[in-house]
Amino acid sequence: MKGKNKETPANQIEELEIEIEEVEESEETESNDTPEVIEAEEDADYKSQLDQAQDRLKRNLAEFDNFRKRTAKEMAARYDAGQSAAAEKLLPIIDNFQRALSANEDKEDNFYQGIALIARQFEGVLTDMGIEPITDETGTPFDHNLHHAVAHIEDEAYGQNEIVEVLQKGYKHRDKVLRPSMVKVAN
């Protein structure tokens, strides 16, 4: 847009305020300079100009207010998208901590205790960011919005489309699913 000066709502508002002041000043000077009786046409013309300037000012103020609100919403949406993107990159690390904890059978071992502490701290940070694990339990119904079925088994102990085993925990950020849970489902 080389050579074009795009006016912002704030600049337009300032110009309209200046126009209103000029119209009001011209009314004052004319009323002082002219006889007491002003022609009805001139008076109506000034009032019309003043009304138009005030109308434009009100419209520009409303546009500016809408712009400010829309910008705030967009910034909040970008912030949420950034949090979600960062959390998606960190989820494999949480999975590896869980694998390390399940691989060690000695829960009294100092190494196990340290890994468990780091895993809890990491999960706490994700919780503070609004990232929560999807609560999957054996026997709950399969939901294609929250789960990804990677295996199906025939088992009379479970009903149709019930989760038999959670293979990988899923996570969501507020109401958006970041990663669905990988589950084994009964047919």
Side-chain angles (χ1 to χ4, degrees):
M1 299 187 113
K2 191 174 182 182
K4 291 186 179 179
N5 184 8
K6 186 175 181 182
E7 291 188 23
T8 63
N11 290 344
Q12 291 175 348
I13 291 170
E14 288 177 20
E15 289 176 8
L16 290 173
E17 289 174 342
I18 291 170
E19 275 185 47
I20 291 171
E21 288 176 10
E22 289 174 356
V23 169
E24 289 174 347
E25 286 174 5
S26 67
E27 284 181 348
E28 290 174 7
T29 56
E30 284 190 16
S31 65
N32 294 339
D33 295 343
T34 60
E36 291 181 12
V37 178
I38 299 176
E39 293 181 17
E41 291 178 8
E42 289 178 3
D43 190 34
D45 187 42
Y46 289 126
K47 285 184 180 179
S48 171
Q49 289 177 358
L50 181 62
D51 289 343
Q52 288 174 357
Q54 287 175 336
D55 184 52
R56 285 190 307 217
L57 176 64
K58 288 177 184 176
R59 289 177 190 269
N60 282 338
L61 286 172
E63 283 180 29
F64 184 71
D65 191 43
N66 290 340
F67 169 77
R68 187 177 41 80
K69 289 176 183 176
R70 184 176 58 247
T71 303
K73 283 181 184 178
E74 289 172 357
M75 288 178 65
R78 283 189 206 133
Y79 180 76
D80 286 347
Q83 274 188 326
S84 295
E88 283 182 50
K89 303 270 186 203
L90 297 174
L91 293 180
I93 298 170
I94 288 288
D95 295 336
N96 289 333
F97 275 120
Q98 294 302 325
R99 286 184 194 104
L101 291 172
S102 64
N104 191 343
E105 295 175 7
D106 185 12
K107 305 216 184 297
E108 300 300 319
D109 182 34
N110 287 338
F111 182 75
Y112 178 88
Q113 297 281 331
I115 294 294
L117 180 64
I118 294 169
R120 280 193 304 273
Q121 185 179 17
F122 208 123
E123 289 172 351
V125 169
L126 289 179
T127 301
D128 291 343
M129 291 173 57
I131 312 299
E132 298 175 355
I134 296 173
T135 53
D136 302 312
E137 295 180 15
T138 302
T140 59
F142 175 79
D143 181 358
H144 69 278
N145 295 318
L146 301 174
H147 308 117
H148 180 71
V150 294
H152 293 275
I153 63 166
E154 297 291 332
D155 192 344
E156 298 298 323
Y158 296 98
Q160 183 80 15
N161 287 329
E162 278 188 19
I163 296 174
V164 175
E165 182 182 355
V166 177
L167 304 173
Q168 185 181 40
K169 192 184 291 187
Y171 289 88
K172 60 184 176 177
H173 181 240
R174 295 190 173 83
D175 293 330
K176 179 186 173 195
V177 174
L178 294 177
R179 181 180 75 188
S181 299
M182 286 192 204
V183 296
K184 190 184 292 186
V185 179
N187 285 339

